[in-house]
């Protein structure tokens, strides 16, 4: 096996994914992270930050549809959306399907945004150039601290809570306290929260931090092959419970908004909240 054509992704301290690379399209180092775009034989074109696959063409819809649609379809009229992170443009692509008035996307790394515009346009469908999307290059926590604005939905698509230090502050109790104040009444937020199986303590801390600020907190997870684990998501609101949104309501909203998806359906919405948390079973 020619080791040179492989990329080793550290799934956890003791587990690695060895992923065949057919072609490296871009490699650079920004102020914040190493950025690679590569063609992976199994997963297609991928964005890799600090050695962690952030998205890959052949399975990113599982992630981005699961990140965006349970929250946005639980909201009756998501018009003003804030995305923190998401510099690859795929969460924005999914949010645009709801025909919002405006999406503010705040990513700390301009390099990721530029590389995504250049190399991922077939995947993000040029969402970062859409005139309803306003891209802000700034630390997400500084943005939400300074901005005097409220949103219908806040989608938090950052690097993993167990990964790069640049995103860690945006998983804290204080941060979710600010997020709560940046949501309109009947607003809803969702965050990706890494993996409970490999980093249970990290995941559970994020969950407790969210619970400190919100009355209704729901968890769900979806297997992402190129991540090598079931990615966890945490959705929170003081008034909307995604578990109580009927299949008929979701169906109506999908039709009214004319949203096309590859994975998410009203049945998937129901199922997501019924899959138990994927964590190590031998740990009490
Ligand atoms: N889907 C990926 C995952 O599951 O880990 C996340 C993808 S997205 C590319 C992650 C983005 O978070 C990166 O573009 C990174 O620059 C951004 N990010 C990290 N820390 C940030 C911060 N403090 N403020 C804003 N964006 C941040």
């Amino acid at each position: 096996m020619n080791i040179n054509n492989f990329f080793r992704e550290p799934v956890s301290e003791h587990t690695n994914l060895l992923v065949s690379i057919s072609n490296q399209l871009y490699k650079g180092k920004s102020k914040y992270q190493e950025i690679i775009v590569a063609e992976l034989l199994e997963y297609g074109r991928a964005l890799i930050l600090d050695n962690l696959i952030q998205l890959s063409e052949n399975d990113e819809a599982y992630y981005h549809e699961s990140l965006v649609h349970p929250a946005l379809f639980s909201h009756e009229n998501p018009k003003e959306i804030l995305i923190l992170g998401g510099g690859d443009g795929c969460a924005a692509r999914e949010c645009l399907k709801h025909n919002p008035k405006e999406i503010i996307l705040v990513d700390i790394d301009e390099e990721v945004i530029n590389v995504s515009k250049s190399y991922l346009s077939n995947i993000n469908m040029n969402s970062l150039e859409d005139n309803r999307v306003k891209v802000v290059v700034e630390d997400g926590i500084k943005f939400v601290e300074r901005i005097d604005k409220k949103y219908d939905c806040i989608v938090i698509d950052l690097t993993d809570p167990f990964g790069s230090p640049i995103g860690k502050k945006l998983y804290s109790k204080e941060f979710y306290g600010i997020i709560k104040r940046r949501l309109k009444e009947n607003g809803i937020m969702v965050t990706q929260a890494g993996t409970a199986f490999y980093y249970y303590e990290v995941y559970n801390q994020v969950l407790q931090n969210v619970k400190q600020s919100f009355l209704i907190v729901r968890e769900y997870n979806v297997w992402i092959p190129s991540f090598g684990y079931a990615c966890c998501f945490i959705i929170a609101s003081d008034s909307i419970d995604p578990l109580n949104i009927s299949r008929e309501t979701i169906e109506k909203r999908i039709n009214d908004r004319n949203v096309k998806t590859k994975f998410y359906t009203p049945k998937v919405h129901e199922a997501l909240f019924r899959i138990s948390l994927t964590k190590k079973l031998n740990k009490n």
Side-chain angles (χ1 to χ4, degrees), residues 32-33 47 49 53-55 63-64 84-88 106-109 112 138-141 157-160 164 166-170 192 227 229 231:
Y32 299 101
Q33 49 213 334
L47 173 68
L49 299 180
I53 292 177
Q54 303 293 307
L55 71 97
Y63 174 91
H64 291 103
L84 298 175
D88 53 69
V106 184
D107 198 298
I108 199 167
D109 196 337
V112 171
E138 186 173 358
D139 184 333
I141 198 161
D157 182 22
L158 296 159
T159 42
D160 297 301
S164 158
I166 57 174
K168 282 201 192 310
K169 299 184 299 293
L170 290 77
Q192 82 96 351
F227 287 9
Y229 57 73
C231 186

Side-chain angles (χ1 to χ4, degrees), residues 21-28 35-39:
I21 283 193
S22 56
N23 187 11
Q24 181 173 287
L25 302 170
Y26 174 87
K27 181 171 185 173
I35 305 167
I36 291 174
V37 177
E39 296 288 357

Side-chain angles (χ1 to χ4, degrees), residues 157-267:
D157 182 22
L158 296 159
T159 42
D160 297 301
F162 58 83
S164 158
I166 57 174
K168 282 201 192 310
K169 299 184 299 293
L170 290 77
Y171 290 99
S172 68
K173 192 165 67 245
E174 298 71 21
F175 172 74
Y176 293 122
I178 303 168
I179 290 297
K180 167 134 170 186
R181 297 196 297 277
R182 297 293 173 257
L183 280 173
K184 292 181 194 172
E185 203 180 332
N186 293 337
I188 190 165
M189 82 103 195
V190 61
T191 185
Q192 82 96 351
T195 160
F197 184 85
Y198 290 110
Y199 293 96
Y200 182 71
E201 289 69 25
V202 172
Y203 169 80
N204 192 46
Q205 188 56 65
V206 173
L207 177 67
Q208 299 317 315
N209 292 345
V210 174
K211 285 186 171 177
Q212 298 255 341
S213 287
F214 291 94
L215 299 175
I216 303 165
V217 178
R218 298 290 181 198
E219 307 163 70
Y220 58 100
N221 64 92
V222 177
W223 178 258
I224 311 292
S226 63
F227 287 9
Y229 57 73
C231 186
C232 295
F233 300 90
I234 300 170
I235 201 165
S237 171
D238 275 356
S239 53
I240 303 173
D241 186 346
L243 214 51
N244 291 344
I245 309 287
S246 71
R247 189 185 299 187
E248 294 69 28
T249 303
I250 301 271
E251 268 163 4
K252 183 172 180 333
R253 289 176 179 173
I254 287 178
N255 294 332
D256 291 351
R257 299 177 197 176
N258 190 25
V259 176
K260 301 283 179 274
T261 53
K262 294 179 183 167
F263 167 64
Y264 179 88
T265 65
K267 276 188 189 163

